[in-house]
Amino acid sequence: MTSVHFLFVIFIVMLSLVMLLIIAVLIYNFIKYKESLRMAYWSDTINKKISEVIVYWDEKISDDKQFSLLSRNAPFRNLFLQKLVDSEKKFSGGAKDKIRDLFNKYNLKNEALRKLSQKKPHLIAGGITELTVMDAKDSIPRIASFLSHPSPQVYQEAQYAMVRFKGFEGLHFLDSFTSRISEWQQLRLLLSISSIPDNAEAAIESWLDNDNDSVVIFTLKLIKKFQLLSFYTKIIELMDRDSISVRVKAVRVLMSLENPETVAYLSSIYDAQPEDVKIEILKVTRFSKDQCCTDLLKRELSDDVSSGIKVNAAQALYELGHQQYLLALARDEASSEDLIQIVKYALQEKVC
């Protein structure tokens, strides 16, 4: 009888725990549901405010007391700021100005600045992004302090902010930057630079001498974008650098500067280069229309070299107008099967 009573007590306790768990889940779901309704209402209210400002941008809009009241709420202000940042990216001209007017009118810069005092990198980066998008130039000194932050997420946003605010002058973090600049970051920075000042030569030259390969590669892209022909000789010096990636990029930039001596120069240093650089040289000769490299291309097609080199040599010969030479190779019984396939590929024929 005692054991039955004990089991009954355990059953009651377990049942009570299950009921408490169910109640807790229901309460949690109810709270989340109410929160989602509130966020949906806030989002709709903010969207209407932004739309109103953009549509009636040239008219004076009366203050909305309900909106002003909501704007005192910290979570609402953070959502408002997020919506403004998202909207700014979608519009241009006067609409952008009106969005930034809202940012200033409701003093949302304080929300972004508060994020810069947080410890989590994604919050700091988010604050920098918001200040950048909203063109808060007076925040430049604060943002600049994050250029040496240990988190890539943070220092990349700080770099981008400096360039967005200051243009070419914002690139001076490159002087002492030791980490790798990702391809995506390089693209962002390049797109944010619209001009090169007259006194930029010394800075660009020092970046080309930098020990950081990604800084050198970014600088080469900068030279290519703005066609800075005066750095032609300096780029040639990079062909002695240990980094293969730097040499490959240097080859591309040399060709983009359209110097008539480039193909002859690249042909003269070809044999001393590693395979990746050789392939890049062969690729750029395809579009040069310069016949001075013909003997080199024919030699590489016949020598015992990798298929990658042979393919690019054959394609370059085709682009330079040597189709008959390639046809003769394809029909020559002495040619290997691999060579015939490579030549037919270059001739854009189906390999049987």
Side-chain angles (χ1 to χ4, degrees), residues 157-192:
E157 286 306 314
Q159 291 169 359
Y160 179 64
M162 290 297 101
V163 175
R164 274 285 299 269
F165 285 134
K166 303 171 73 173
F168 180 85
E169 292 302 316
L171 287 174
H172 281 292
F173 69 86
L174 295 174
D175 297 342
S176 56
F177 190 67
T178 56
S179 300
R180 180 179 176 274
I181 309 174
S182 69
E183 290 290 326
W184 170 239
Q185 181 71 348
Q186 290 183 40
L187 178 60
R188 293 174 76 202
L189 297 176
L190 281 171
L191 291 174
S192 298

Side-chain angles (χ1 to χ4, degrees), residues 183-279:
E183 290 290 326
W184 170 239
Q185 181 71 348
Q186 290 183 40
L187 178 60
R188 293 174 76 202
L189 297 176
L190 281 171
L191 291 174
S192 298
I193 300 169
S194 58
S195 63
I196 301 290
D198 295 335
N199 62 346
E201 188 168 336
I204 293 174
E205 188 167 331
S206 70
W207 298 336
L208 287 175
D209 289 330
N210 201 297
D211 291 333
N212 186 334
D213 289 342
S214 66
V215 170
V216 177
I217 290 172
F218 171 76
T219 308
L220 286 169
K221 292 178 180 179
L222 194 67
I223 291 170
K224 180 180 179 180
K225 177 179 178 178
F226 292 99
Q227 288 293 288
L228 304 178
L229 305 179
S230 61
F231 290 97
Y232 185 87
T233 303
K234 188 69 180 177
I235 297 172
I236 285 178
E237 294 176 9
L238 295 177
M239 297 308 298
D240 294 325
R241 195 166 174 126
D242 291 337
S243 171
I244 293 176
S245 58
V246 168
R247 291 198 216 179
V248 167
K249 190 62 187 178
V251 169
R252 296 175 189 169
V253 176
L254 284 172
M255 283 301 298
S256 74
L257 297 181
E258 298 182 356
N259 187 310
E261 299 177 359
T262 299
V263 175
Y265 165 72
L266 292 176
S267 298
S268 70
I269 65 168
Y270 178 87
D271 291 332
Q273 301 303 317
E275 182 167 324
D276 286 348
V277 181
K278 285 183 177 180
I279 288 175

Side-chain angles (χ1 to χ4, degrees), residues 292-321:
C292 75
C293 59
T294 302
D295 290 340
L296 168 64
L297 297 173
K298 289 180 177 179
R299 186 197 77 193
E300 289 299 87
L301 199 54
S302 60
D303 280 357
D304 183 19
V305 293
S306 71
S307 58
I309 288 180
K310 284 182 180 290
V311 166
N312 282 281
Q315 289 175 331
L317 284 168
Y318 178 85
E319 295 292 341
L320 292 174

Side-chain angles (χ1 to χ4, degrees), residues 104-116:
N104 292 320
K105 178 179 178 179
Y106 290 93
N107 203 21
L108 294 175
K109 186 175 72 172
N110 289 338
E111 308 325 296
L113 286 173
R114 266 193 281 272
K115 293 179 183 179
L116 302 190

